Amino acid sequence: MPEDMGLGRLSAMVVAVVLLMKCINGEDPYQFFTWNVTYGDIYPLGVKQQGILINGQFPGPQITSVTNENLIVSVFNSLNEPFLLSWNGVQQRRNSWQDGVYGTNCPIPPGKNFTYVLQVKDQIGSFFYFPSLAFHKAAGGYGSIRIYSRSVIPVPFPPPAADYTILAGDWFKQNHTDLRAILDGGHDLPFPDGILINGRGSNGYTFTVDQGKTYRFRISNVGLVTSLNFRIQGHKMLLVEVEGTHTLQNTYDSFDLHLGQSCSVLVTADQPARDYYIVFSTRFTSQVLTATSLLHYSNSAVSVAGPPPGGPTTQIDWSLNQARSIRQNLTASGPRPNPQGSYHYGMVNTTRTIRLANSAPVINGKKSYAVNSVSFVPADTPLKLADYYNIQGVFSLGSMPDNPTGSGGYLQTSVMAADFRAFFEVVFENSEDTVQSWHIDGHIFFVVGMDGGQWSPASRSNYNLRDGISRCTVQVYPRSWTALYMPLDNVGMWNVRSENWARQYLGQQFYLRVYSPANSLRDEYPIPKNALLCGRASGRKTRPF
């Protein structure tokens, strides 16, 4: 497509072409989005900052979709530096081409555009999108994604009176460029300055409810470095969903949400008519940050009273026990009519065990973060493109060890080779004093165990092989381990990363290349016609339209 076209003309062309394809192929429904990414002045903590806005909004526009819908998102980069969006939790079935991280996509150059073609295939639940390059996430650019069940699929709770989204996370008063310079200099970030709730500081956001009705709150931790606990003054919360999986419906007074995680709770407005605090506070930090918003009863004439309710602070066992209570609802339908428990993950033989240990080595005199001693270095060409065009020298398969090495840290573009339809046991091992949060693109996994101390094969005797929660982001407590079972059912190049954005930026990530020798469209879509080409892939051809 010519890159000097106006937004309207280019968007109209995309719509026309995709609608024609839809009519020919009888595909699932389509939605179309045109987003302009700009800088803008924001004041979330009362200080003027340079934020990243989408269509003038911070947070960005919400995507509301239904299982299997196609989402056509045309992104115009009006920043002065390259930009990419990634889609946290959207599995991109057979289509890592659309994942929006540097290992799979060339950045969108300043003044140019790229159209993502996504399908929320066989998914439901609560997720979010975010900018994946250059520490842009510290400037905003994120927004929520809701995927509803199809009307023919039963949902294991009555329809709520309304559905609210909360994007919460720690925040710095410094611009993202200043924070990036601190990291580039090999230093740790300072402690965050506050917590934002939907882009605003304390009491900047109000959720209105009718007395006696029940509401769904979808909450995501979109922060950079800290876990959060949330609670609602005087109200219980019924957990119903975690990252696309219906859960056992346990009731909580407060709930821990770690970096990159999302969940849904039901809250019934069953208290006297007045206003109540919704509270978020940092977890496992020596200094506790707190932010509040308001739950306002529509018939209330009484403002919020008393101090915000306190929550847990540094208690690890409390959080660990809560995490173990989060389990699959085996009888509920997921995105398909069959019950979630019909997939008996505990009866599948694992084909390979991967042990991944995080560390914080000093490499070449600079603070770094690593996985199995390897601190990831981005290549000059996206790995997916190098793989597709068979460009030598960009990365080496096997550059990510299967087990901790115990050696000093070193820099490498680390890629782990894996076979399509393998079934992995993955053990995250954390010998540090900070909570880790790990995300795996393109897949869900089953959390089978977590505990303190050192993992060993004997730890398997305590695995939950029946109703472990399936999700895409999981925490690992200090000096502890977390184990998962993961079916490798999605061909592509997939990012495995720390959701602590400073650690991710300084190397705590790698790529998992899930490979099928069949080279079939049943396993993976072809390279998109509009794929951006850069680095050593520049000047090559994609494919005919």
Side-chain angles (χ1 to χ4, degrees), residues 367-387:
K367 184 66 171 286
S368 303
Y369 294 100
V371 189
N372 289 355
S373 301
V374 187
S375 184
F376 182 83
V377 178
D380 60 6
T381 304
L383 310 180
K384 182 64 181 169
L385 292 177
D387 199 24

Side-chain angles (χ1 to χ4, degrees), residues 65-69 88-91 119-127 145-151 153-157 216 218 240-247 262 264 329 332-338 340 444 470-472:
S65 60
V66 175
T67 301
N68 295 341
E69 281 190 341
N88 210 69
V90 176
Q91 292 174 21
Q119 186 182 24
V120 288
K121 180 70 174 172
D122 290 335
Q123 286 195 262
I124 57 171
S126 310
F127 308 99
I145 302 173
R146 297 180 182 178
I147 309 174
Y148 286 99
S149 298
R150 292 175 290 155
S151 59
I153 305 298
V155 175
F157 49 87
R216 182 173 184 171
R218 300 172 185 259
V240 294
E241 177 252 337
V242 167
E243 294 160 27
T245 298
H246 291 305
T247 64
S262 301
S264 291
N329 184 334
S333 297
R336 294 184 175 184
N338 49 302
Q340 293 179 147
I444 59 101
S470 62
R471 62 189 315 166
C472 56

Side-chain angles (χ1 to χ4, degrees), residues 181-485:
I182 292 172
L183 295 174
D184 288 341
H187 304 293
D188 287 327
L189 293 179
F191 192 72
D193 295 298
I195 296 172
L196 299 191
I197 300 172
N198 288 348
R200 304 176 187 178
S202 276
N203 299 334
Y205 210 93
T206 298
F207 301 89
T208 300
V209 297
D210 293 333
Q211 194 170 29
K213 294 183 178 179
T214 297
Y215 295 82
R216 182 173 184 171
F217 285 82
R218 300 172 185 259
I219 305 116
S220 296
N221 184 341
V222 296
L224 299 175
V225 295
T226 56
S227 300
L228 298 176
N229 177 271
F230 68 89
R231 51 217 179 260
I232 302 178
Q233 184 182 28
H235 293 73
K236 303 287 188 180
M237 301 181 295
L238 186 71
L239 184 69
V240 294
E241 177 252 337
V242 167
E243 294 160 27
T245 298
H246 291 305
T247 64
L248 283 181
Q249 295 182 7
N250 296 326
T251 300
Y252 300 94
D253 293 315
S254 73
F255 194 79
D256 279 355
L257 200 63
H258 304 274
L259 289 164
Q261 294 185 340
S262 301
C263 71
S264 291
V265 296
L266 298 181
V267 178
T268 300
D270 56 4
Q271 298 300 303
R274 44 171 279 209
D275 292 354
Y276 297 87
Y277 284 115
I278 300 174
V279 186
F280 285 84
S281 57
T282 55
R283 288 286 269 128
F284 318 112
T285 55
S286 55
Q287 176 186 348
V288 179
L289 297 174
T290 301
T292 58
S293 56
L294 296 179
L295 186 75
H296 169 69
Y297 278 55
S298 59
N299 59 338
S300 167
V302 182
S303 61
V304 67
T313 53
T314 59
Q315 302 91 330
I316 293 172
D317 287 346
W318 185 96
S319 188
L320 174 62
N321 289 331
Q322 183 180 83
R324 288 170 171 165
S325 74
I326 304 170
R327 309 227 172 168
Q328 274 195 86
N329 184 334
L330 297 179
T331 60
S333 297
R336 294 184 175 184
N338 49 302
Q340 293 179 147
S342 60
Y343 181 72
H344 301 287
Y345 68 90
M347 300 178 66
V348 181
N349 292 326
T350 57
T351 58
R352 186 170 161 192
T353 295
I354 308 296
R355 296 170 52 214
L356 301 173
N358 51 274
S359 60
V362 174
I363 303 175
N364 299 331
K366 297 175 67 173
K367 184 66 171 286
S368 303
Y369 294 100
V371 189
N372 289 355
S373 301
V374 187
S375 184
F376 182 83
V377 178
D380 60 6
T381 304
L383 310 180
K384 182 64 181 169
L385 292 177
D387 199 24
Y388 178 78
Y389 291 115
N390 195 27
I391 301 171
Q392 300 300 306
V394 176
F395 70 90
S396 298
L397 292 174
S399 48
M400 168 53 59
D402 281 14
N403 296 284
T405 65
S407 64
Y410 58 96
L411 304 174
Q412 191 159 6
T413 304
S414 42
V415 180
M416 178 178 288
D419 295 329
F420 182 43
R421 296 201 176 98
F423 194 82
F424 272 18
E425 176 189 35
V426 180
V427 183
F428 290 112
E429 302 181 9
N430 178 18
S431 62
E432 298 184 66
D433 291 326
T434 55
V435 176
Q436 305 294 313
S437 189
W438 286 93
H439 178 87
I440 301 178
D441 278 351
H443 295 79
I444 59 101
F445 47 72
F446 299 87
V447 182
V448 295
M450 53 176 63
D451 207 348
Q454 179 67 43
W455 179 89
S456 73
S459 304
R460 295 176 178 136
S461 63
N462 292 318
Y463 279 4
N464 177 0
L465 300 181
R466 183 173 181 271
D467 62 354
I469 192 66
S470 62
R471 62 189 315 166
C472 56
T473 307
V474 71
Q475 72 273 21
V476 191
Y477 292 101
R479 301 195 178 279
S480 301
W481 56 268
T482 295
L484 14 140
Y485 281 1

